[in-house]
Amino acid sequence: MGGIVDAIWRMEFVVGVVFGVGALILATAGGFLLRRRGVHPLPVGGALLALAALLALPLATSVPTRLWWGVALLLAGGLAVE
């Protein structure tokens, strides 16, 4: 049990939770505002989570250059399919 509690308070976990919750709030608020105006929001939840992860990674750890390209390509592919 002590290992779980220690892991929850590590900076990497806290940064991930903060950015993930931020993306969730942004997606929910954006969807709500667009629906009030009668516009059907785009399904970009996965893209927002990928963007949140991309922004959170440098705060939590060092990020290799190739990872940026991989995440950018996944984001572009996800948007192209949707």
Side-chain angles (χ1 to χ4, degrees):
M1 182 73 166
I4 294 172
V5 173
D6 291 339
I8 288 174
W9 291 110
R10 289 185 58 129
M11 186 180 77
E12 293 89 352
F13 185 80
V14 173
V15 167
V17 168
V18 168
F19 275 82
V21 168
L24 177 66
I25 291 170
L26 183 65
T28 303
F32 178 74
L33 291 174
L34 286 174
R35 283 198 177 117
R36 275 189 86 179
R37 294 184 178 185
V39 178
H40 183 68
L42 296 173
V44 294
L48 279 176
L49 286 176
L51 182 62
L54 190 64
L55 294 174
L57 275 172
L59 296 175
T61 185
S62 63
V63 180
T65 307
R66 284 189 261 170
L67 180 66
W68 294 104
W69 284 106
V71 173
L73 290 173
L74 284 173
L75 178 63
L79 290 174
V81 168
E82 305 238 1

